[in-house]
Amino acid sequence: AQSVTQLDSQVPVFEEAPVELRCNYSSSVSVYLFWYVQYPNQGLQLLLKYLSGSTLVKGINGFEAEFNKSQTSFHLRKPSVHISDTAEYFCAVTRNSGNTPLVFGKGTRLSVIA
Amino acid sequence: DTGVSQDPRHKITKRGQNVTFRCDPISEHNRLYWYRQTLGQGPEFLTYFQNEAQLEKSRLLSDRFSAERPKGSFSTLEIQRTEQGDSAMYLCASGRVGAYNEQFFGPGTRLTVL
């Protein structure tokens, strides 16, 4: 089975500062990895995904993430955040074969301070 | 592509009542997933369909919960004899076979059981 640990439940950061949201996963098989964003009272929107190939993946809204197999991590980064980035961010993992559902972390609340 | 839609967006009910939620997936998607999200947690998998076949159910899906996807199009999730612990956001997602298990989420139905 797969599991995800998001190491920070809340991350406050000043506007235009860089941010990193940390995600570690556990799996005995190869995986696909995803980051989703959730704004208040809304569903989840896909930010980016790692399937294979280059370990640095770029997503929407200026976010990027780096897959590190040896450290089983998939940290999300943005070089300069905006007020509009304030939201809940979820890391998710799934096996890269078969029809398995997503396993989510508990989320990290990013609060951008003006 | 009109996205995944869910109805209703909010439901308030009294304990012991039955409720039914509907999900309309993206039209060409043959997989449909249901997740439950409680406050401060990430989404947790409940069940999923491929076309009209229900392929997997989580142990979270007690016998009070039932899901259907007649004709492989929209899906319904029914909760019988609701309990206060059923209060949560119920999220629906859809995807395609062979699409790396990428899932697109609807806005969710927020259930409050009084």
Side-chain angles (χ1 to χ4, degrees):
Chain A
Q2 291 73 50
S3 67
V4 173
T5 302
Q6 291 186 242
L7 298 159
D8 306 293
S9 59
Q10 297 186 61
V11 173
V13 63
F14 286 104
E15 193 174 18
E16 297 184 5
V19 70
E20 178 180 82
L21 305 183
R22 297 181 294 169
C23 171
N24 285 94
Y25 70 93
S26 173
S27 177
S28 58
V29 299
S30 295
V31 296
Y32 297 142
L33 292 154
F34 303 83
W35 274 99
Y36 285 85
V37 61
Q38 186 176 36
Y39 299 101
N41 296 314
Q42 294 187 25
L44 280 70
Q45 180 183 7
L46 181 66
L47 276 177
L48 49 78
K49 57 184 182 271
Y50 172 77
L51 305 177
S52 65
S54 173
T55 57
L56 183 65
V57 293
K58 294 188 183 297
I60 62 171
N61 301 341
F63 284 93
E64 63 181 33
E66 185 156 20
F67 171 60
N68 188 319
K69 188 174 182 178
S70 63
Q71 297 188 4
T72 61
S73 68
F74 189 54
H75 300 333
L76 181 70
R77 303 186 183 101
K78 186 170 183 177
S80 176
V81 296
H82 303 289
I83 294 289
S84 59
D85 292 323
T86 295
E88 192 87 19
Y89 291 79
F90 293 96
C91 181
V93 65
T94 184
R95 288 176 55 175
N96 73 349
S97 62
N99 305 323
T100 57
L102 293 171
V103 175
F104 287 86
K106 292 187 176 182
T108 296
R109 173 158 295 281
L110 174 64
S111 298
V112 181
I113 306 161
Chain B
D1 179 359
T2 57
V4 179
S5 61
Q6 293 186 246
D7 183 69
R9 294 291 307 277
H10 304 273
K11 179 71 176 179
I12 300 173
T13 191
K14 293 182 179 179
R15 188 174 52 186
Q17 297 296 304
N18 299 343
V19 295
T20 300
F21 309 141
R22 176 179 171 126
C23 171
D24 287 89
I26 294 170
S27 58
E28 66 268 27
H29 286 182
N30 45 17
R31 286 194 191 154
L32 187 149
Y33 304 80
W34 286 99
Y35 293 83
R36 181 172 70 186
Q37 184 180 22
T38 54
L39 202 61
Q41 302 294 318
E44 295 175 294
F45 169 71
L46 292 177
T47 188
Y48 93 92
F49 294 83
Q50 184 164 309
N51 300 314
E52 66 275 10
Q54 188 172 18
L55 295 188
E56 187 174 344
K57 292 192 287 186
S58 161
R59 65 180 185 276
L60 291 176
L61 208 69
S62 76
D63 55 7
R64 296 185 298 107
F65 287 69
S66 63
E68 294 182 342
R69 192 182 182 199
K71 303 179 183 178
S73 56
F74 71 92
S75 175
T76 59
L77 178 68
E78 180 183 16
I79 309 174
Q80 295 182 327
R81 305 181 303 282
T82 52
E83 302 173 355
Q84 287 186 326
D86 297 331
S87 295
M89 174 80 90
Y90 289 84
L91 294 164
C92 176
S94 71
R96 290 178 296 154
V97 174
Y100 306 108
N101 209 15
E102 183 174 346
Q103 298 173 29
F104 297 83
F105 283 80
T109 294
R110 181 166 294 284
L111 173 66
T112 302
V113 182
L114 301 175

